[in-house]
Amino acid sequence: MTATLNETTLDAPVDVRFTAAGTPLAVRYDGRVWAVAAEPVHWFERDSWWATRRTAPVDVGNVVDIEHWRLQVRLSSASALRTFELRRDPLSEQWLLESITDN
């Protein structure tokens, strides 16, 4: 699957390689490895648990913070930058590629 500019939500599973400090280093998507080429932006959003009606077992930990990264990536030093937005839901270890835009 290759993304186009008009796609807003992909929700495609991706593999993310992190540095020892926990910063994304590279993303494997669509059979290719995209290297992070600029300082990433990291933030959290609160899940609308009242709307999704998720329940969680007692003592499971944080079930409302959705983790996000905005990464500028490229395939090689000669290729154009693209922006990937990644998301990880609170009870999941799987990163999802939410969107791709050209810079």
Side-chain angles (χ1 to χ4, degrees):
M1 176 175 150
T2 302
T4 61
L5 284 177
N6 61 357
E7 288 179 292
T8 55
T9 303
L10 299 172
D11 287 338
V14 294
D15 295 320
V16 183
R17 176 189 275 163
F18 290 90
T19 66
T23 304
L25 186 61
V27 177
R28 180 180 296 277
Y29 168 66
D30 200 24
R32 299 170 151 176
V33 175
W34 298 78
V36 175
E39 188 67 31
V41 177
H42 188 220
W43 75 95
F44 290 86
E45 283 183 355
R46 295 296 239 173
D47 184 26
S48 310
W49 57 267
W50 58 91
T52 61
R53 299 172 202 248
R54 290 186 188 163
T55 59
V58 175
D59 295 330
V60 75
N62 184 342
V63 296
V64 296
D65 286 332
I66 301 169
E67 187 173 8
H68 292 267
W69 284 98
R70 180 175 296 129
L71 311 172
Q72 289 193 310
V73 297
R74 59 175 45 153
L75 288 171
S76 70
S77 59
S79 64
L81 286 173
R82 299 186 91 183
T83 301
F84 282 10
E85 286 210 18
L86 307 180
R87 179 186 85 241
R88 188 178 61 80
D89 293 324
L91 297 175
S92 176
E93 294 298 316
Q94 178 65 63
W95 284 95
L96 299 174
L97 177 58
E98 196 167 80
S99 68
I100 300 173
T101 54
D102 291 328
N103 294 333

XYZ file of all heavy atoms in Angstrom:
833
model
N 0.844 -1.180 0.000
C 0.000 0.000 0.000
C 0.886 1.239 0.000
O 1.733 1.404 0.850
C -0.865 -0.038 1.250
C -1.711 1.171 1.419
S -2.769 0.917 2.859
C -2.912 2.574 3.353
N 0.666 2.111 -0.922
C 1.411 3.358 -0.993
C 0.456 4.508 -0.727
O -0.617 4.577 -1.306
C 2.065 3.522 -2.373
O 2.913 2.402 -2.591
C 2.867 4.798 -2.448
N 0.847 5.401 0.143
C -0.017 6.514 0.537
C 0.030 7.629 -0.500
O 1.029 7.830 -1.177
C 0.422 7.059 1.886
N -1.070 8.342 -0.608
C -1.133 9.524 -1.455
C -1.448 10.719 -0.572
O -1.853 10.560 0.578
C -2.216 9.376 -2.541
O -3.474 9.208 -1.882
C -1.924 8.188 -3.449
N -1.303 11.904 -1.123
C -1.500 13.115 -0.333
C -2.909 13.269 0.216
O -3.098 13.837 1.259
C -1.157 14.341 -1.177
C 0.323 14.596 -1.376
C 0.526 15.780 -2.276
C 1.011 14.815 -0.051
N -3.913 12.771 -0.478
C -5.270 12.985 -0.020
C -5.710 11.987 1.038
O -6.807 12.106 1.557
C -6.253 12.978 -1.189
C -6.240 11.659 -1.930
O -5.473 10.769 -1.617
N -7.090 11.550 -2.930
N -4.901 11.013 1.386
C -5.246 10.084 2.451
C -5.024 10.780 3.792
O -3.971 11.346 4.042
C -4.390 8.824 2.388
C -4.772 7.929 1.232
C -3.911 6.700 1.175
O -2.727 6.858 0.883
O -4.435 5.603 1.426
N -6.032 10.743 4.626
C -5.891 11.419 5.904
C -5.578 10.451 7.036
O -4.797 10.761 7.898
C -7.155 12.225 6.249
O -8.277 11.361 6.198
C -7.341 13.369 5.270
N -6.205 9.277 7.032
C -5.942 8.303 8.078
C -5.627 6.962 7.451
O -6.436 6.400 6.735
C -7.149 8.162 9.023
O -7.449 9.440 9.559
C -6.859 7.204 10.152
N -4.431 6.472 7.719
C -4.013 5.183 7.175
C -4.213 4.059 8.182
O -4.662 2.985 7.840
C -2.530 5.236 6.791
C -2.140 6.242 5.724
C -0.629 6.304 5.602
C -2.770 5.877 4.412
N -3.816 4.301 9.422
C -3.819 3.277 10.467
C -3.098 2.007 10.028
O -3.542 0.893 10.292
C -5.242 2.958 10.932
C -5.825 4.078 11.780
O -5.039 4.863 12.340
O -7.053 4.155 11.888
N -1.967 2.182 9.340
C -1.163 1.051 8.865
C -0.137 0.674 9.931
O 0.589 1.534 10.425
C -0.441 1.434 7.578
N -0.063 -0.605 10.307
C 0.946 -1.027 11.278
C 2.357 -0.801 10.739
O 2.624 -1.059 9.559
C 0.682 -2.518 11.460
C -0.667 -2.768 10.879
C -0.912 -1.705 9.869
N 3.240 -0.288 11.580
C 4.637 -0.060 11.210
C 5.544 -0.542 12.335
O 5.115 -0.650 13.485
C 4.929 1.432 10.910
C 4.199 1.912 9.668
C 4.595 2.314 12.102
N 6.792 -0.815 11.984
C 7.817 -1.129 12.974
C 8.669 0.119 13.157
O 9.069 0.745 12.173
C 8.701 -2.280 12.497
C 7.930 -3.580 12.379
O 7.085 -3.850 13.258
O 8.149 -4.318 11.408
N 8.937 0.466 14.400
C 9.722 1.663 14.705
C 10.958 1.243 15.476
O 10.870 0.500 16.447
C 8.906 2.678 15.537
C 9.713 3.950 15.770
C 7.581 3.008 14.857
N 12.116 1.715 15.020
C 13.370 1.487 15.749
C 13.662 2.753 16.539
O 13.611 3.858 16.003
C 14.519 1.211 14.787
C 15.849 1.069 15.534
C 17.011 1.014 14.616
N 17.185 -0.357 14.168
C 17.896 -0.707 13.115
N 18.488 0.221 12.382
N 18.030 -1.956 12.793
N 13.982 2.562 17.825
C 14.245 3.683 18.720
C 15.704 3.704 19.144
O 16.357 2.669 19.197
C 13.371 3.567 19.980
C 11.915 3.808 19.723
C 11.065 2.758 19.388
C 11.382 5.076 19.810
C 9.720 2.981 19.157
C 10.042 5.307 19.579
C 9.203 4.256 19.249
N 16.196 4.892 19.492
C 17.518 5.029 20.087
C 17.432 4.543 21.533
O 16.333 4.326 22.062
C 17.988 6.497 20.083
O 17.133 7.239 20.954
C 17.986 7.098 18.682
N 18.574 4.436 22.189
C 18.599 4.042 23.599
C 17.855 5.054 24.468
O 17.302 4.708 25.513
C 20.040 3.905 24.073
N 17.793 6.300 24.024
C 17.095 7.350 24.768
C 15.591 7.352 24.511
O 14.855 8.127 25.119
C 17.676 8.713 24.409
N 15.102 6.506 23.599
C 13.676 6.405 23.330
C 13.161 7.283 22.215
O 11.954 7.465 22.063
N 14.051 7.829 21.398
C 13.670 8.662 20.265
C 13.643 7.804 18.988
O 14.560 7.015 18.773
C 14.685 9.812 20.083
O 14.754 10.546 21.302
C 14.277 10.745 18.960
N 12.630 7.967 18.128
C 12.586 7.178 16.896
C 13.807 7.433 16.009
O 14.248 8.572 15.835
C 11.314 7.654 16.199
C 10.470 8.188 17.295
C 11.431 8.788 18.278
N 14.329 6.364 15.452
C 15.496 6.406 14.577
C 15.109 6.073 13.142
O 15.616 6.659 12.197
C 16.530 5.411 15.094
C 17.880 5.346 14.449
C 18.608 6.682 14.585
C 18.700 4.244 15.097
N 14.182 5.108 12.972
C 13.762 4.679 11.639
C 12.395 4.011 11.731
O 12.003 3.512 12.787
C 14.774 3.712 11.050
N 11.683 4.021 10.595
C 10.359 3.410 10.505
C 10.344 2.464 9.314
O 10.738 2.851 8.209
C 9.261 4.486 10.320
C 7.890 3.852 10.161
C 9.269 5.475 11.471
N 9.888 1.229 9.530
C 9.703 0.281 8.424
C 8.240 0.332 8.020
O 7.352 0.023 8.806
C 10.072 -1.134 8.821
C 9.883 -2.126 7.658
C 10.256 -3.531 8.035
N 11.666 -3.654 8.350
C 12.638 -3.805 7.446
N 12.344 -3.832 6.171
N 13.881 -3.924 7.830
N 8.020 0.769 6.765
C 6.663 0.881 6.227
C 6.680 0.497 4.756
O 7.563 0.915 4.008
C 6.135 2.313 6.398
C 4.875 2.570 5.615
C 3.693 1.915 5.942
C 4.870 3.443 4.537
C 2.544 2.126 5.209
C 3.714 3.668 3.811
C 2.552 3.014 4.150
O 1.423 3.219 3.417
N 5.727 -0.285 4.355
C 5.551 -0.669 2.952
C 6.815 -1.326 2.378
O 7.198 -1.084 1.239
C 5.139 0.559 2.126
C 4.470 0.203 0.813
O 3.917 -0.916 0.715
O 4.503 1.033 -0.113
N 7.502 -2.126 3.212
C 8.685 -2.843 2.772
C 9.949 -2.006 2.674
O 10.971 -2.481 2.195
N 9.893 -0.766 3.140
C 11.055 0.129 3.075
C 11.386 0.656 4.460
O 10.516 0.770 5.319
C 10.764 1.318 2.168
C 10.457 0.940 0.758
C 9.949 2.153 0.040
N 10.252 2.088 -1.372
C 9.856 2.982 -2.234
N 9.173 4.030 -1.846
N 10.160 2.852 -3.505
N 12.649 1.030 4.637
C 13.079 1.631 5.901
C 13.283 3.119 5.669
O 14.100 3.525 4.840
C 14.370 0.973 6.433
C 14.856 1.694 7.685
C 14.128 -0.503 6.712
N 12.523 3.916 6.414
C 12.576 5.371 6.324
C 13.369 5.888 7.517
O 12.981 5.669 8.664
C 11.165 5.953 6.349
C 10.314 5.520 5.200
C 9.678 4.316 5.058
C 10.018 6.267 4.040
N 9.001 4.283 3.874
C 9.190 5.469 3.221
C 10.363 7.545 3.602
C 8.716 5.909 1.997
C 9.879 7.981 2.388
C 9.070 7.167 1.594
N 14.474 6.579 7.255
C 15.317 7.122 8.324
C 14.770 8.465 8.803
O 14.356 9.304 7.996
C 16.745 7.303 7.825
N 14.783 8.668 10.108
C 14.371 9.953 10.677
C 15.465 10.968 10.363
O 16.636 10.742 10.649
C 14.126 9.834 12.190
C 13.816 11.195 12.795
C 12.998 8.836 12.468
N 15.063 12.101 9.753
C 16.048 13.053 9.242
C 16.007 14.413 9.944
O 16.765 15.310 9.585
C 15.819 13.254 7.741
N 15.150 14.570 10.922
C 15.056 15.843 11.648
C 14.577 15.537 13.063
O 14.133 14.428 13.353
C 14.088 16.782 10.944
N 14.653 16.530 13.924
C 14.231 16.344 15.316
C 12.737 15.993 15.366
O 11.897 16.741 14.883
C 14.488 17.632 16.104
C 14.282 17.506 17.576
C 15.297 16.596 18.246
O 16.447 16.506 17.773
O 14.934 15.974 19.250
N 12.387 14.844 15.949
C 10.981 14.447 16.013
C 10.195 15.249 17.054
O 10.771 15.806 17.986
C 11.026 12.975 16.416
C 12.402 12.684 16.839
C 13.282 13.819 16.447
N 8.881 15.297 16.863
C 7.980 15.965 17.789
C 7.153 14.886 18.486
O 6.584 14.019 17.826
C 7.060 16.959 17.052
C 6.077 17.603 18.019
C 7.878 18.002 16.318
N 7.086 14.954 19.800
C 6.439 13.919 20.612
C 5.360 14.553 21.474
O 5.576 15.604 22.068
C 7.514 13.271 21.491
C 7.060 12.076 22.241
N 7.449 11.850 23.532
C 6.288 11.027 21.897
C 6.931 10.702 23.950
N 6.210 10.191 22.984
N 4.178 13.929 21.533
C 3.122 14.419 22.403
C 2.158 13.288 22.746
O 2.216 12.212 22.174
C 2.391 15.604 21.780
C 1.447 15.276 20.661
C 0.099 15.073 20.764
C 1.760 15.121 19.276
N -0.434 14.800 19.523
C 0.561 14.826 18.595
C 2.942 15.204 18.539
C 0.506 14.609 17.223
C 2.892 14.985 17.174
C 1.684 14.702 16.526
N 1.288 13.579 23.711
C 0.259 12.642 24.146
C -1.102 13.317 24.035
O -1.216 14.523 24.246
C 0.479 12.220 25.603
C 1.675 11.333 25.796
C 2.932 11.879 25.985
C 1.546 9.957 25.765
C 4.042 11.073 26.164
C 2.649 9.138 25.939
C 3.899 9.695 26.142
N -2.128 12.527 23.698
C -3.514 12.978 23.710
C -4.293 12.075 24.641
O -3.925 10.926 24.840
C -4.146 12.851 22.314
C -3.758 13.885 21.341
C -4.486 13.709 20.011
O -5.226 12.714 19.825
O -4.288 14.562 19.143
N -5.361 12.593 25.170
C -6.229 11.787 26.022
C -7.267 11.075 25.160
O -7.889 11.674 24.289
C -6.961 12.658 27.031
C -6.042 13.327 28.013
C -5.346 12.341 28.871
N -5.657 12.583 30.258
C -5.283 11.795 31.228
N -4.622 10.718 30.982
N -5.573 12.069 32.463
N -7.459 9.787 25.430
C -8.474 9.000 24.754
C -9.847 9.391 25.291
O -10.003 9.674 26.475
C -8.223 7.506 25.003
C -9.179 6.616 24.256
O -9.708 7.035 23.210
O -9.399 5.475 24.707
N -10.826 9.409 24.430
C -12.204 9.671 24.845
C -12.813 8.373 25.348
O -13.695 7.800 24.731
C -13.019 10.207 23.667
O -12.374 11.257 23.039
N -12.340 7.916 26.484
C -12.770 6.616 26.991
C -14.271 6.560 27.216
O -14.894 5.517 27.075
C -12.025 6.256 28.280
C -12.184 7.271 29.365
C -11.354 8.316 29.620
C -13.247 7.346 30.313
N -11.824 9.052 30.673
C -13.001 8.464 31.120
C -14.376 6.584 30.564
C -13.833 8.860 32.145
C -15.219 6.967 31.600
C -14.939 8.088 32.369
N -14.888 7.701 27.507
C -16.327 7.723 27.721
C -17.085 7.488 26.418
O -18.199 6.998 26.436
C -16.765 9.038 28.360
C -16.377 10.232 27.530
C -17.119 10.824 26.561
C -15.147 10.943 27.593
N -16.419 11.871 25.997
C -15.199 11.965 26.627
C -13.998 10.825 28.364
C -14.157 12.851 26.414
C -12.974 11.720 28.156
C -13.060 12.716 27.192
N -16.436 7.810 25.281
C -17.072 7.598 23.975
C -16.794 6.192 23.436
O -17.641 5.594 22.794
C -16.591 8.646 22.980
N -15.596 5.688 23.703
C -15.240 4.355 23.203
C -15.704 3.250 24.139
O -15.732 2.088 23.770
C -13.719 4.226 23.017
O -13.083 4.426 24.277
C -13.195 5.213 21.991
N -16.042 3.622 25.366
C -16.539 2.690 26.395
C -15.568 1.554 26.675
O -15.949 0.437 26.930
C -17.898 2.134 26.011
C -18.917 3.209 25.877
C -20.194 2.657 25.311
N -20.936 3.735 24.726
C -22.077 4.189 25.197
N -22.630 3.644 26.219
N -22.676 5.192 24.618
N -14.275 1.846 26.605
C -13.263 0.855 26.942
C -13.259 0.602 28.443
O -13.422 1.521 29.235
C -11.871 1.326 26.538
C -11.667 1.361 25.072
C -10.228 1.684 24.789
N -10.069 1.900 23.371
C -9.040 2.506 22.833
N -8.073 2.958 23.587
N -8.951 2.665 21.545
N -13.054 -0.627 28.789
C -12.870 -0.962 30.193
C -11.497 -1.591 30.322
O -10.949 -2.117 29.359
C -13.945 -1.941 30.695
O -13.878 -3.132 29.915
C -15.331 -1.336 30.596
N -10.947 -1.508 31.498
C -9.615 -2.067 31.735
C -9.591 -2.744 33.091
O -10.273 -2.303 34.020
C -8.567 -0.960 31.680
N -8.796 -3.792 33.209
C -8.666 -4.440 34.513
C -8.006 -3.500 35.520
O -7.287 -2.575 35.153
C -7.741 -5.633 34.221
C -7.608 -5.718 32.751
C -8.048 -4.430 32.165
N -8.253 -3.747 36.773
C -7.654 -2.964 37.854
C -6.131 -3.112 37.793
O -5.607 -4.180 37.469
C -8.196 -3.453 39.214
C -7.505 -2.745 40.367
C -9.694 -3.252 39.277
N -5.405 -2.034 38.063
C -3.941 -1.998 38.112
C -3.253 -2.255 36.778
O -2.098 -2.673 36.749
C -3.404 -2.998 39.157
C -3.815 -2.623 40.569
O -3.970 -1.411 40.826
O -3.985 -3.531 41.391
N -3.943 -2.005 35.655
C -3.316 -2.206 34.358
C -2.433 -1.021 33.975
O -1.591 -1.116 33.113
C -4.365 -2.505 33.261
C -5.098 -1.238 32.864
C -3.721 -3.145 32.055
N -2.615 0.115 34.603
C -1.799 1.290 34.297
C -2.576 2.318 33.502
O -3.798 2.362 33.535
N -1.850 3.122 32.753
C -2.426 4.217 31.985
C -3.213 3.678 30.790
O -2.651 3.039 29.911
C -1.291 5.130 31.513
C -1.801 6.342 30.786
O -2.927 6.410 30.323
N -0.943 7.331 30.680
N -4.505 3.958 30.746
C -5.329 3.475 29.642
C -5.955 4.617 28.844
O -6.819 4.370 28.010
C -6.450 2.531 30.146
C -5.868 1.277 30.748
C -7.372 3.247 31.116
N -5.509 5.841 29.061
C -6.121 6.977 28.365
C -5.155 7.813 27.532
O -5.596 8.588 26.699
C -6.887 7.902 29.343
C -8.057 7.175 29.965
C -5.971 8.465 30.397
N -3.847 7.685 27.726
C -2.892 8.510 26.983
C -2.492 7.838 25.674
O -1.884 6.770 25.673
C -1.638 8.782 27.809
C -1.883 9.786 28.909
O -2.782 10.642 28.739
O -1.190 9.729 29.929
N -2.831 8.489 24.559
C -2.448 8.019 23.231
C -1.145 8.728 22.866
O -1.078 9.956 22.863
C -3.527 8.337 22.183
C -4.850 7.678 22.594
C -3.084 7.906 20.798
C -6.037 8.137 21.784
N -0.105 7.955 22.567
C 1.217 8.514 22.271
C 1.333 8.808 20.781
O 0.916 8.005 19.947
C 2.298 7.525 22.691
C 3.698 8.069 22.584
C 4.732 7.133 23.169
O 4.406 5.990 23.537
O 5.898 7.561 23.237
N 1.910 9.959 20.430
C 2.094 10.381 19.042
C 3.537 10.803 18.793
O 4.188 11.359 19.677
C 1.207 11.592 18.719
C -0.251 11.303 18.711
N -0.930 10.965 17.582
C -1.158 11.315 19.716
C -2.201 10.788 17.879
N -2.364 10.991 19.178
N 4.001 10.569 17.576
C 5.276 11.120 17.088
C 5.032 11.693 15.698
O 4.369 11.063 14.874
C 6.342 10.037 16.955
C 6.944 9.579 18.235
C 6.607 8.470 18.942
C 8.029 10.188 18.939
N 7.395 8.351 20.059
C 8.277 9.389 20.072
C 8.806 11.318 18.731
C 9.272 9.697 20.996
C 9.784 11.622 19.647
C 10.018 10.815 20.758
N 5.571 12.885 15.432
C 5.599 13.451 14.081
C 7.062 13.419 13.654
O 7.928 14.017 14.293
C 5.084 14.880 14.052
C 5.110 15.465 12.624
C 4.492 16.842 12.551
N 3.090 16.767 12.888
C 2.486 17.533 13.794
N 3.160 18.447 14.456
N 1.200 17.408 14.048
N 7.324 12.691 12.561
C 8.691 12.457 12.114
C 8.883 12.942 10.690
O 8.048 12.671 9.825
C 9.007 10.957 12.149
C 8.667 10.190 13.421
C 8.862 8.700 13.191
C 9.540 10.676 14.558
N 9.990 13.608 10.435
C 10.393 13.881 9.065
C 11.357 12.772 8.681
O 12.373 12.557 9.355
C 11.030 15.253 8.935
C 10.005 16.351 9.095
C 10.550 17.685 8.667
O 11.621 18.075 9.092
N 9.802 18.363 7.815
N 11.017 12.059 7.611
C 11.766 10.872 7.221
C 12.143 10.949 5.751
O 11.562 11.699 4.978
C 10.943 9.584 7.488
C 10.654 9.417 8.969
C 9.649 9.581 6.692
N 13.136 10.114 5.390
C 13.524 9.997 3.977
C 14.107 8.618 3.762
O 14.574 7.961 4.695
C 14.497 11.083 3.557
C 15.779 11.115 4.333
C 16.773 12.123 3.825
N 16.153 13.391 3.539
C 16.732 14.554 3.569
N 18.000 14.636 3.878
N 16.104 15.655 3.289
N 14.094 8.175 2.499
C 14.638 6.863 2.152
C 16.145 6.887 2.010
O 16.820 5.910 2.306
C 14.003 6.348 0.853
C 12.547 5.915 0.984
C 11.956 5.634 -0.381
C 12.431 4.709 1.892
N 16.685 8.007 1.540
C 18.133 8.162 1.384
C 18.462 9.637 1.539
O 17.567 10.481 1.553
C 18.593 7.662 0.007
O 18.136 8.538 -1.003
N 19.740 9.950 1.611
C 20.132 11.355 1.777
C 19.747 12.208 0.573
O 19.650 13.426 0.684
C 21.626 11.461 2.047
O 22.351 10.899 0.975
N 19.499 11.582 -0.582
C 19.130 12.321 -1.786
C 17.618 12.424 -1.987
O 17.159 13.160 -2.858
C 19.753 11.657 -3.009
N 16.832 11.707 -1.194
C 15.380 11.718 -1.401
C 14.716 12.859 -0.626
O 15.262 13.401 0.325
C 14.774 10.370 -0.998
O 14.941 10.148 0.375
N 13.520 13.196 -1.070
C 12.762 14.278 -0.443
C 12.253 13.861 0.935
O 12.018 12.691 1.190
C 11.582 14.654 -1.332
N 12.088 14.860 1.801
C 11.526 14.609 3.125
C 10.019 14.381 3.025
O 9.335 15.014 2.224
C 11.770 15.795 4.053
C 13.177 15.987 4.582
C 13.263 17.306 5.333
C 13.576 14.832 5.482
N 9.535 13.485 3.865
C 8.098 13.267 4.037
C 7.827 13.313 5.537
O 8.715 13.062 6.338
C 7.681 11.925 3.467
C 7.970 11.844 1.968
C 7.436 10.602 1.388
N 6.079 10.910 0.937
C 5.275 10.018 0.407
N 5.645 8.764 0.293
N 4.076 10.354 0.015
N 6.615 13.626 5.906
C 6.244 13.663 7.311
C 5.328 12.494 7.621
O 4.296 12.325 6.977
C 5.546 14.991 7.665
O 6.435 16.069 7.359
C 5.175 15.040 9.127
N 5.743 11.688 8.592
C 4.945 10.568 9.086
C 4.380 10.965 10.443
O 5.108 11.491 11.283
C 5.796 9.315 9.296
C 6.155 8.539 8.059
C 5.927 9.013 6.789
C 6.739 7.293 8.193
C 6.270 8.283 5.663
C 7.090 6.543 7.090
C 6.851 7.034 5.816
N 3.110 10.706 10.654
C 2.526 10.840 11.986
C 2.199 9.447 12.479
O 1.456 8.706 11.838
C 1.294 11.729 11.964
C 1.669 13.173 11.808
C 0.700 14.136 12.455
O -0.098 13.735 13.319
O 0.768 15.307 12.081
N 2.779 9.097 13.626
C 2.595 7.783 14.228
C 1.752 7.899 15.487
O 1.772 8.924 16.166
C 3.945 7.173 14.606
C 5.005 7.088 13.523
C 6.266 6.461 14.094
C 4.506 6.291 12.335
N 1.037 6.807 15.788
C 0.198 6.766 16.982
C 0.296 5.387 17.638
O 0.397 4.377 16.950
C -1.255 7.024 16.593
C -2.218 6.990 17.755
C -3.665 7.112 17.318
N -4.175 5.786 16.959
C -4.627 5.441 15.764
N -4.644 6.304 14.776
N -5.076 4.230 15.536
N 0.293 5.388 18.953
C 0.232 4.122 19.703
C -0.839 4.264 20.760
O -0.786 5.138 21.618
C 1.574 3.782 20.354
C 1.586 2.377 20.963
C 2.929 2.045 21.558
N 3.309 2.938 22.634
C 2.852 2.841 23.893
N 2.016 1.912 24.223
N 3.270 3.709 24.801
N -1.833 3.404 20.675
C -2.928 3.431 21.627
C -2.463 2.910 22.985
O -1.518 2.119 23.065
C -4.109 2.626 21.097
C -4.741 3.283 19.867
O -4.783 4.524 19.821
O -5.179 2.559 18.959
N -3.145 3.308 24.063
C -2.665 3.018 25.416
C -2.445 1.543 25.742
O -1.505 1.212 26.432
C -3.757 3.590 26.321
C -4.569 4.480 25.487
C -4.360 4.102 24.072
N -3.278 0.665 25.262
C -3.167 -0.748 25.620
C -2.493 -1.572 24.536
O -2.591 -2.797 24.515
C -4.551 -1.326 25.937
C -5.237 -0.687 27.148
C -6.641 -1.236 27.324
C -4.418 -0.895 28.404
N -1.774 -0.915 23.617
C -1.145 -1.613 22.503
C 0.355 -1.347 22.466
O 0.818 -0.292 22.865
C -1.766 -1.134 21.184
O -1.114 -1.719 20.081
N 1.098 -2.316 21.954
C 2.525 -2.129 21.698
C 2.765 -1.787 20.232
O 3.870 -1.422 19.846
C 3.301 -3.402 22.054
C 3.284 -3.716 23.545
C 3.952 -2.630 24.370
O 5.029 -2.141 23.974
O 3.378 -2.249 25.412
N 1.731 -1.908 19.382
C 1.843 -1.695 17.932
C 1.730 -0.217 17.580
O 0.789 0.452 17.967
C 0.730 -2.467 17.205
C 0.724 -2.270 15.697
C 1.966 -2.833 15.039
O 2.194 -4.031 15.103
N 2.764 -1.984 14.423
N 2.711 0.277 16.826
C 2.651 1.632 16.297
C 1.851 1.614 15.010
O 1.965 0.686 14.212
C 4.056 2.177 16.039
C 4.731 2.565 17.308
C 5.593 1.805 18.046
C 4.565 3.789 18.008
N 5.978 2.489 19.167
C 5.364 3.706 19.169
C 3.826 4.942 17.775
C 5.440 4.755 20.087
C 3.913 5.969 18.691
C 4.710 5.888 19.831
N 1.044 2.667 14.788
C 0.263 2.815 13.567
C 0.689 4.085 12.858
O 0.875 5.132 13.486
C -1.228 2.901 13.898
C -1.820 1.679 14.597
C -3.272 1.958 14.993
C -1.728 0.452 13.718
N 0.853 3.976 11.535
C 1.124 5.156 10.709
C -0.214 5.798 10.424
O -1.047 5.252 9.711
C 1.833 4.753 9.418
C 2.125 5.859 8.429
C 2.990 6.959 9.046
C 2.794 5.289 7.193
N -0.428 6.950 11.022
C -1.712 7.639 10.913
C -1.814 8.428 9.612
O -2.860 8.441 8.974
C -1.880 8.549 12.123
C -3.275 9.008 12.341
C -3.421 9.618 13.711
O -3.040 10.797 13.878
O -3.916 8.922 14.604
N -0.733 9.107 9.217
C -0.781 9.893 7.981
C 0.626 10.117 7.420
O 1.608 10.010 8.143
C -1.468 11.242 8.215
O -0.677 12.059 9.054
N 0.646 10.435 6.122
C 1.886 10.790 5.411
C 1.605 12.053 4.629
O 0.580 12.165 3.949
C 2.309 9.688 4.409
C 2.559 8.369 5.122
C 3.537 10.134 3.614
C 2.821 7.215 4.173
N 2.530 13.015 4.725
C 2.429 14.228 3.896
C 3.790 14.535 3.316
O 4.821 14.207 3.895
C 1.919 15.446 4.706
O 2.750 15.613 5.850
C 0.493 15.258 5.142
N 3.776 15.167 2.144
C 5.011 15.624 1.530
C 5.331 17.009 2.083
O 4.435 17.784 2.392
C 4.881 15.710 0.016
C 4.764 14.343 -0.602
O 5.348 13.380 -0.075
O 4.083 14.224 -1.639
N 6.620 17.314 2.214
C 7.017 18.617 2.758
C 7.164 19.638 1.671
O 7.312 19.426 0.566
C 8.318 18.477 3.540
C 8.077 17.625 4.759
O 6.975 17.567 5.278
N 9.101 16.963 5.219
